[in-house]
């Protein structure tokens, strides 16, 4: 542990490998130029130069060239005397080279197309081989340089994963700002930027009344949150704290009922609601969400189980009723679980689209945002509404993301249950 | 003190309800005995007027409910309706008018409801007898009887559980229990597209649906077998890939040398927080045959033809598994992070002194420990994957559809098949049968977890 504060020595064996890797990477860039099929061969030199000079082709190669040059330069300098700083600079250089390699690899075809070399399948194939080799070697160099510094090389993997995980979300954001309509575009960066998708969600309400749905959902979510939280706390407290004859029965029944797939009962719920004249109304949504939310009492119960019983016993001896114990002792010490319960109950109506679709059918006015957005992606609407769907999705995702980040700790405890107490 | 009452309670519970009722009747005075017939009578004669009247009112309400509403449905429960839609001569209007026949759906629904109401009433009836008997005993001992105000007060104390559980129980009964029982019963009827109330009636068919599912109807049975096979394969693969890779990510982030741990974690948590219907629908757009991913791959020159990510059986199944990794790894990462930090450090230290490689340490220390601690979570996740509606429905809708299947596609799970059967085909009876089957698997596994985790047995430990 003490060594952590001291600068740790470089791993010399790896340091010596670095220049070799860098040199190999730089050499692999020449791979496409090594061999050219005979007939066009004579022409190649000119076209090869074209490749670098055409249109934006040279621009595409800039990061690659910079990365390679840096790596090579530093690699060579390491042959002399390596310091921590030079290896650190090498990490940056290799990282740059990796990015340049990816960029070049992705644009290789475009570049070759524009340079007029496309009829030569050989070159395009080998150009990519060169790029791949460069990319992989730069990655190897990056890993080796990190290891030489005694830094975890997993940074590379984590960064790659972070990109994969964030790209779809980034794409959602970008698409929500895209000016052109259409669902399937062969490019990622929009041709034009606009905020209109957001404004039109709220102004163009003839077919898809987004503001109305948003208010519907908000209303349902707030009431559901209040009702569910109250009910869940009642059940959790009772089953955790009170001892009464049918307690076991309740516990087992709750366990079994919660295991039935909800889909099975949806249709029946619809008919029940219809029979009492509540189908297609927001009240029915509140009832259904609260009714199914109650069964999520186990997490709160687990929390109550951990509050020392001596607390309530002392109060009971002092003559407090169980009602008072609940309000004065249990509730104040369970703020986190109240927040957790409330937030999960609040989120449910925002993310459910199945129950709503069964209950509301085609009653557009009473849709919630989730179902409304879902409808926007139906075949006949998707072309016109896709960008607006993205804007709407962003507006739903932002509050939920913020709320979720707040409760993630309890989420973990909830999922793992009492079995995995930390 | 508490131990004593608990023991007495246990003894009482062991006696059984009927024996208790019999003994009450044997020992009861006239008031108590009459309470068996007229609810609240015992309370009334002993001066507990409000309580007695409430019991009486509830009895009157039940009679009114049964006679005025429930009976017309209950008496047809055996056949689920015998009068179809008819044309009847109307004297008064001098024309034939259509009379609505019996609605099998409502008959079944309200019968179930009424039976539950009656069961609830029986509980109330028993409470009434107990209360009468208690009042009688108190009077015999010369003690003061509890007034109505006392009873209200006891609802906030000794019988606090009653006041607390009534509302939630009613909600669960109305929106979960009742519908579930109703749907279970549907599995024993022929409620399908050809028998749609109110126009047509359906009736009991016994175990026909189960027979069809398990071989009686070749097409359905074949589909069921294949869909079930894929469901299980999916659940196993999805659970384990997510579990292992998620844990690897958690280990990477937890690594001592990694800086900005919170940032890495948040990056992954953000993808959990974005509602699944948003991220998955987005994925299905990205992976569409004409979607951006295919377009870009073509543009970059990696492929010539679109990859049928979601429309070819094998590719679609693979795609779903991969997308599920995207969805699931952050969850596993989040959940395993905390547990990983609890693994005793000295295990690793002694292993590294012995010269064990990181891979060796993962398989010999981390994995066994994690498997031991997270088995319940793993089984819960497995059950969750059997019922993983969102990923399948939002990505492929169960497709690609094939004619060799009965209303199902190659990536359909039992639950998405069930959904399609109910929503698109109104084939409720078959869907319910599948639902029961899914329930048996899920419940079996969940009960296993419940016993394994022992959280039920250990719940007192913390208090």
């Amino acid at each position: 542990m003490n060594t952590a504060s001291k600068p740790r020595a470089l791993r010399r064996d790896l340091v010596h490998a670095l220049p070799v890797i860098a040199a190999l990477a730089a050499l692999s860039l020449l791979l496409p130029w090594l061999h050219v099929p005979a007939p066009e061969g004579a022409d190649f030199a000119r076209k090869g130069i074209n490749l670098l000079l055409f249109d934006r082709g040279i621009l595409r190669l800039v990061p690659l060239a910079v990365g390679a040059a840096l790596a090579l330069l530093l690699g060579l300098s390491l042959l002399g005397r390596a310091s921590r700083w030079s290896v650190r600079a090498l990490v940056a250089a290799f990282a740059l080279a990796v990015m340049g390699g990816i960029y070049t690899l992705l644009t290789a075809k475009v570049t070759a197309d524009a340079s007029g070399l496309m009829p030569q399948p050989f070159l395009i194939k080998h150009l990519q081989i060169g790029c791949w080799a460069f990319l992989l070697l730069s990655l190897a160099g990056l890993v080796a340089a990190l290891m030489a510094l005694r830094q975890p090389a997993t940074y590379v993997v984590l960064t790659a994963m972070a990109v994969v995980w964030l790209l779809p979300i980034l794409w959602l954001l970008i698409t929500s700002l895209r000016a052109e309509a259409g669902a399937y575009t062969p490019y990622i960066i929009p041709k034009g930027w606009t905020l209109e998708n957001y404004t039109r969600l709220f102004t163009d309400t003839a077919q898809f009344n987004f503001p109305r749905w948003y208010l519907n959902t908000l209303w349902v979510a707030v009431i559901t949150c209040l009702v569910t939280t109250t009910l869940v706390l009642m059940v959790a407290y009772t089953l955790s704290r009170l001892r009464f004859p049918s307690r076991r029965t309740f516990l087992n029944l709750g366990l079994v009922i919660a295991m039935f797939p909800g889909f099975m009962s949806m249709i029946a719920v619809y008919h029940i609601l219809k029979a009492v004249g509540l189908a297609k109304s927001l009240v029915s949504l509140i009832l259904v969400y609260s009714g199914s939310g109650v069964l999520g009492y186990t997490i709160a119960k687990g929390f109550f189980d951990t509050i020392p019983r001596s607390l309530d016993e002392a109060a009971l001896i002092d003559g407090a009723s169980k009602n008072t114990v609940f309000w004065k002792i249990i509730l104040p010490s369970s703020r986190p679980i109240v927040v957790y319960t409330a937030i999960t109950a609040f989120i449910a109506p925002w993310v459910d689209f199945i129950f709503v679709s069964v209950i509301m059918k085609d009653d557009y006015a009473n849709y919630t945002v989730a179902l409304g957005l879902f409808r926007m992606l139906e075949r006949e609407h998707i072309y016109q509404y896709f960008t607006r769907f993205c804007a709407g999705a962003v507006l739903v995702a932002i509050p939920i993301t913020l709320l979720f980040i707040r409760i993630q700790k309890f989420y973990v405890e909830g999922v793992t249950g009492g079995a995995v107490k930390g | 003190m508490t131990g004593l009452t608990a023991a007495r309670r246990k003894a009482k519970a062991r006696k059984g309800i009927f024996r208790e009722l019999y003994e009450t009747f044997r020992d009861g005075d006239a008031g108590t005995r009459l309470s068996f017939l007229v609810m609240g009578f015992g309370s009334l004669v002993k001066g507990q007027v409000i309580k007695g009247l409430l019991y009486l009112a509830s009895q009157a309400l039940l009679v009114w409910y049964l006679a005025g509403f429930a009976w017309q449905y209950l008496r047809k429960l055996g056949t689920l309706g015998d009068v179809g839609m008819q044309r009847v001569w109307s004297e008064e209007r001098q024309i034939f008018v259509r009379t609505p026949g019996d609605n099998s759906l409502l008959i079944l629904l309200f019968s179930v409801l009424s039976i539950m109401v009656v069961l609830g009433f029986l509980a109330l009836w028993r409470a009434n007898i107990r209360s009468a008997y208690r009042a009688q005993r108190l009077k015999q001992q010369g003690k003061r009887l509890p007034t109505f105000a006392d009873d209200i007060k006891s609802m906030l104390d000794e019988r606090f559980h009653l006041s607390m559980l009534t509302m939630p129980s009613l909600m669960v009964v109305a929106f979960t229990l009742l519908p579930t029982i109703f749907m279970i019963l549907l599995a024993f009827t022929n409620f399908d597209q050809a028998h749609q109330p109110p126009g047509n009636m359906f009736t009991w068919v016994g175990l026909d649906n189960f027979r069809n599912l398990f071989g009686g109807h070749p097409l359905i049975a074949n589909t069921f077998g294949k869909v079930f096979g894929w469901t299980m394969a999916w659940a196993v693969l999805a659970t384990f890939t997510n579990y292992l890779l998620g844990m690897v990510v958690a280990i990477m982030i937890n690594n001592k040398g990694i800086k900005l741990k919170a940032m890495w974690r948040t990056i992954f948590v953000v993808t959990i927080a974005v509602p699944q219907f948003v991220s998955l629908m987005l994925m299905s757009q990205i992976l569409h045959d004409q979607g951006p991913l295919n377009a870009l791959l073509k543009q970059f020159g990696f492929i010539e033809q679109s990859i049928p990510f979601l429309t070819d059986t094998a590719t679609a199944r693979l795609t779903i598994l991969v997308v599920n990794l995207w969805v699931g790894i952050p969850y596993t990462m989040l959940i395993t992070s905390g547990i990983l930090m609890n693994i005793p450090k000295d295990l690793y230290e002694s292993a590294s002194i012995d010269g064990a490689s990181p891979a060796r340490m993962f398989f010999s220390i981390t994995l066994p420990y994690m498997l031991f601690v997270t088995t319940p979570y793993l089984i819960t996740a497995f059950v969750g994957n059997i019922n993983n509606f969102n990923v399948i429905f939002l990505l492929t809708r169960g497709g690609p559809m094939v004619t060799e299947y009965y209303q199902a596609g190659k990536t359909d799970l039992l639950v998405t098949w069930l959904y399609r059967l109910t929503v698109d085909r109104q084939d409720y009876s078959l869907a319910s049968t599948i639902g029961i089957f899914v329930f048996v698997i899920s419940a079996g596994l969940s009960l296993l977890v419940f016993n394994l985790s022992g959280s039920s047995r250990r719940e007192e430990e913390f208090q």
Side-chain angles (χ1 to χ4, degrees):
Chain A
M1 286 294 120
N2 298 335
T3 50
S5 52
K6 283 187 230 157
R8 280 175 295 179
L10 287 170
R11 286 180 57 174
R12 291 286 154 188
D13 47 340
L14 273 172
V15 169
H16 292 308
L18 290 177
V20 182
I21 297 174
L24 281 176
L27 278 178
S28 68
L29 278 178
L30 295 177
L31 200 60
W33 279 266
L34 290 183
H35 176 70
V36 175
E40 262 85 6
D43 232 12
F44 175 70
R46 194 173 54 81
K47 288 193 171 167
I49 291 164
N50 267 355
L51 177 68
L52 293 176
L53 289 180
F54 92 97
D55 194 10
R56 285 162 14 211
I58 198 147
L59 234 159
R60 293 176 196 279
L61 287 177
V62 165
L64 187 68
V66 170
L70 265 175
L72 196 60
L73 208 68
L74 281 156
L76 291 175
S77 82
L78 287 182
L79 286 176
R81 221 174 111 260
S83 69
R84 288 190 69 80
W85 282 108
S86 62
V87 178
R88 266 183 208 160
L90 202 56
V91 168
F94 274 125
L96 201 63
V98 170
M99 283 190 274
I102 294 173
Y103 186 70
T104 316
L105 184 64
L106 294 186
T107 52
K109 181 170 177 286
V110 184
T111 312
D113 280 353
S115 72
L117 287 168
M118 191 51 191
Q120 290 197 34
F122 172 83
L123 184 68
I124 181 69
K125 213 164 82 193
H126 286 249
L127 182 63
Q128 286 199 351
I129 287 181
C131 290
W132 277 114
F134 178 77
L135 181 61
L136 294 178
L137 282 166
S138 313
L139 264 178
L142 184 59
V143 170
L146 279 171
M147 283 167 72
L149 283 172
R150 292 181 191 278
Q151 287 289 325
T154 39
Y155 278 126
V156 181
V157 186
L158 280 178
T159 313
M161 290 187 73
V163 171
V164 173
W165 257 260
L166 288 183
L167 260 188
I169 291 167
L170 199 67
W171 188 65
L172 176 74
L173 280 172
I174 290 175
T175 312
S176 75
L177 297 169
R178 191 173 76 195
E180 325 77 90
Y184 311 112
T185 50
Y187 49 85
I188 285 187
I189 308 293
K191 298 212 158 66
W193 300 83
T194 180
L195 277 173
E196 220 173 62
N197 294 321
Y198 289 91
T199 52
R200 291 191 64 183
L201 264 183
F202 289 94
T203 53
D204 178 13
T205 55
Q207 186 167 15
F208 292 117
N209 195 342
F210 189 78
R212 165 111 203 220
W213 298 338
Y214 212 86
L215 287 180
N216 280 350
T217 321
L218 194 65
W219 161 245
V220 170
V222 168
I223 307 288
T224 305
C225 169
L226 290 176
V227 176
T228 311
T229 313
T230 320
L231 294 180
V232 163
L233 290 179
M234 281 161 76
V235 177
Y237 169 78
T238 314
L239 292 180
S240 161
R241 278 312 212 252
L242 307 180
R243 293 291 177 269
F244 50 97
S246 47
R247 180 168 166 276
R248 273 273 123 217
T249 322
F250 266 99
L251 279 176
N252 292 334
L253 215 59
L255 194 74
V256 173
I257 292 175
M259 277 174 225
F260 264 96
F263 305 102
M264 259 183 83
S265 53
M266 271 190 315
I267 308 292
V269 169
Y270 172 74
H271 287 294
I272 292 173
L273 290 167
K274 206 168 140 194
V276 290
L278 279 177
K280 301 192 183 181
S281 72
L282 292 178
V283 179
S284 64
L285 282 185
I286 296 172
L287 287 174
V288 168
Y289 290 136
S290 317
S292 51
V294 175
L295 287 171
Y297 68 85
T298 36
I299 296 163
K301 176 183 172 288
F303 187 91
F304 287 152
D305 282 344
T306 60
I307 302 176
R309 255 184 113 75
S310 50
L311 277 181
D312 15 338
E313 264 155 24
L316 286 174
I317 288 168
D318 287 348
S321 75
K322 285 176 183 164
N323 184 37
T324 326
V325 170
F326 177 63
W327 291 104
K328 292 275 163 66
I329 294 175
I330 301 293
L331 262 195
S333 49
S334 7
R335 223 189 109 221
I337 206 65
V338 177
V339 172
Y340 171 80
T341 315
I343 290 181
T344 34
F346 184 81
I347 289 178
W350 294 90
V351 297
D352 166 69
F353 64 94
I354 305 167
F355 249 110
V356 207
S357 70
V358 170
I359 289 172
M360 292 303 172
K361 310 271 184 204
D362 51 0
D363 187 8
Y364 274 59
N366 278 338
Y367 273 16
T368 59
V369 275
L371 183 58
L373 290 174
F374 189 71
R375 286 269 182 272
M376 282 189 189
L377 288 198
E378 276 174 353
R379 200 166 294 153
E380 60 269 34
H381 303 305
I382 187 166
Y383 182 82
Q384 199 189 344
Y385 285 96
F386 184 65
T387 48
R388 249 183 268 178
F389 160 83
C390 291
V394 170
L395 291 182
V396 176
I398 288 175
I400 292 178
T401 308
L402 295 178
L403 287 174
F404 187 84
I405 287 177
R406 195 185 145 100
I407 56 163
Q408 53 164 307
K409 186 171 142 268
F410 286 98
Y411 172 79
V412 175
E413 281 174 22
V415 173
T416 53
V420 201
K421 272 212 166 85
Chain B
M1 176 70 194
T2 45
L4 202 78
T5 45
R8 203 184 299 157
R9 253 186 206 155
K10 245 185 202 157
K12 212 170 169 188
R14 223 179 285 133
K15 258 197 319 197
I17 296 170
F18 291 105
R19 199 175 163 79
E20 185 200 321
L21 284 175
Y22 163 73
E23 279 170 10
T24 313
F25 192 76
R26 188 189 60 198
D27 304 336
D29 62 7
T32 309
R33 283 182 184 176
L34 258 174
S35 293
F36 278 74
L37 265 184
V38 184
M39 279 175 64
F41 192 84
S43 308
L44 275 174
V45 292
K46 293 191 178 63
Q48 296 171 307
V49 182
I50 302 179
K51 195 171 167 186
L53 284 178
L54 280 177
Y55 275 131
L56 199 60
S58 73
Q59 191 175 17
L61 212 62
L62 179 84
V63 171
W64 178 73
Y65 167 81
L66 283 178
F69 176 78
W71 180 240
Q72 51 172 320
Y73 297 109
L74 273 174
R75 73 194 164 88
K76 287 183 177 163
L77 183 57
T79 56
L80 294 178
D82 36 30
V83 189
M85 201 188 272
Q86 278 171 336
R87 283 151 58 86
V88 178
W89 178 254
S90 159
E91 274 303 325
E92 157 195 341
R93 292 165 64 192
Q94 296 294 309
I95 47 165
F96 279 104
V97 286
R98 261 174 208 279
T99 56
D102 289 333
N103 186 334
S104 311
L105 184 90
L106 293 184
I107 292 174
L108 186 58
L109 188 61
F110 289 133
S111 297
V112 175
L113 176 71
S114 305
I115 290 171
M116 294 183 83
V117 167
V118 169
L119 285 178
F121 174 78
L122 282 179
L124 205 64
W125 177 72
R126 189 171 158 226
N128 138 69
I129 290 167
R130 278 188 164 180
S131 143
Y133 188 54
R134 202 160 72 97
Q136 174 198 335
R137 291 262 301 273
L138 284 175
K139 204 149 199 184
Q140 280 162 357
Q141 291 161 7
K143 286 186 186 148
R144 192 180 71 92
L145 284 187
T147 62
F148 189 65
D150 290 334
D151 283 332
I152 292 288
K153 224 173 129 193
S154 90
M155 291 302 275
L156 292 179
D157 204 5
E158 297 99 62
R159 283 184 292 167
F160 196 38
H161 59 274
L162 280 181
S163 4
M164 292 290 258
L165 286 179
T166 308
M167 253 320 276
S169 306
L170 282 179
M171 294 284 278
V172 172
V173 166
F175 294 106
T176 312
L177 191 58
L178 177 61
T180 307
I181 293 177
F182 174 75
M183 290 307 273
I184 291 176
L185 291 176
L186 282 190
F188 304 93
T189 68
N190 58 355
F191 186 8
D192 55 22
Q193 224 171 11
H195 300 88
Q196 287 288 317
N200 295 301
M201 295 173 293
F202 59 83
T203 188
W204 301 109
V205 294
L207 291 172
D208 277 5
N209 292 309
F210 291 90
R211 239 170 265 138
N212 282 342
L213 203 58
F214 292 109
H217 186 304
L219 184 61
I220 293 178
N222 179 40
T223 311
F224 175 71
K226 296 266 176 60
V227 172
F228 176 62
W230 161 239
T231 305
M232 292 321 265
W234 147 264
V236 171
L237 286 172
T239 310
F240 280 96
T241 49
N242 267 348
Y243 183 70
L244 287 179
L245 292 175
M247 197 158 42
V248 168
V249 175
I251 291 172
M252 284 198 280
I253 295 179
N254 280 357
N255 185 325
K256 259 198 311 224
I258 292 279
K259 295 187 184 82
L260 300 172
K261 286 193 170 62
M263 180 197 81
W264 296 113
R265 247 176 237 139
T266 312
I267 286 174
F268 289 102
V269 168
V270 165
T271 63
I272 302 183
V274 173
Q276 266 192 13
F277 83 92
V278 170
S279 56
L280 286 171
M281 286 179 89
L282 210 60
M283 281 291 188
S284 79
Q285 297 307 314
I286 293 177
L287 296 167
H288 192 274
D289 283 358
Q290 271 93 50
L293 184 58
N294 266 319
L296 286 173
L297 285 178
K298 273 188 224 165
Q299 197 183 325
F300 297 151
F302 293 114
I303 54 169
E304 300 278 321
Q305 298 287 314
S306 285
I307 300 174
F309 285 115
L310 302 172
T311 43
D312 170 76
T313 303
T315 328
R317 288 180 171 177
L318 189 68
T319 310
I320 290 173
L321 280 170
V322 172
V323 172
N324 188 57
L325 280 180
W326 187 87
V327 173
I329 282 182
Y331 284 97
T332 326
M333 187 272 303
L334 203 60
I335 286 154
T336 47
S337 277
I339 312 167
L340 281 169
M341 284 188 265
N342 288 341
I343 304 181
K345 294 280 174 299
D346 44 336
L347 284 180
Y348 289 110
E349 274 158 24
S350 51
S352 71
I353 289 168
D354 290 347
S357 68
R360 182 73 208 271
M361 283 196 248
F362 177 77
F363 285 109
S364 307
I365 302 175
T366 317
L367 200 56
Y369 183 93
M370 292 301 288
L371 279 177
F372 176 71
V373 181
T374 56
T375 309
Y377 164 71
L378 213 51
I379 299 179
T380 317
F382 186 78
V383 173
N385 274 323
I386 291 180
N387 292 311
N388 200 332
F389 181 85
N390 275 357
V391 170
I392 306 287
F393 184 75
L394 291 174
L395 281 179
T396 63
R397 306 234 162 167
M401 300 294 285
V402 282
T403 45
E404 59 187 290
Y405 279 9
Y406 178 79
Q407 297 299 321
K410 283 284 188 180
T411 54
D412 256 326
L413 302 182
L414 288 174
V415 280
T416 51
W417 188 31
L418 187 159
Y419 178 81
R420 198 200 309 278
L421 285 174
T422 51
V423 174
D424 298 349
R425 293 276 305 175
Q426 280 90 41
D427 210 341
Y428 296 114
S429 53
L430 183 59
S432 300
T433 318
I434 299 170
I436 291 177
F437 186 78
V438 174
F439 166 74
V440 169
I441 302 176
S442 324
L445 286 169
S446 306
L447 286 175
L448 192 70
V449 182
F450 193 63
N451 289 325
L452 272 182
S453 71
S455 60
S456 61
R457 269 172 276 135
R458 285 190 323 189
E459 64 174 346
E460 312 270 346
E461 250 171 49
F462 299 104
Q463 298 186 356

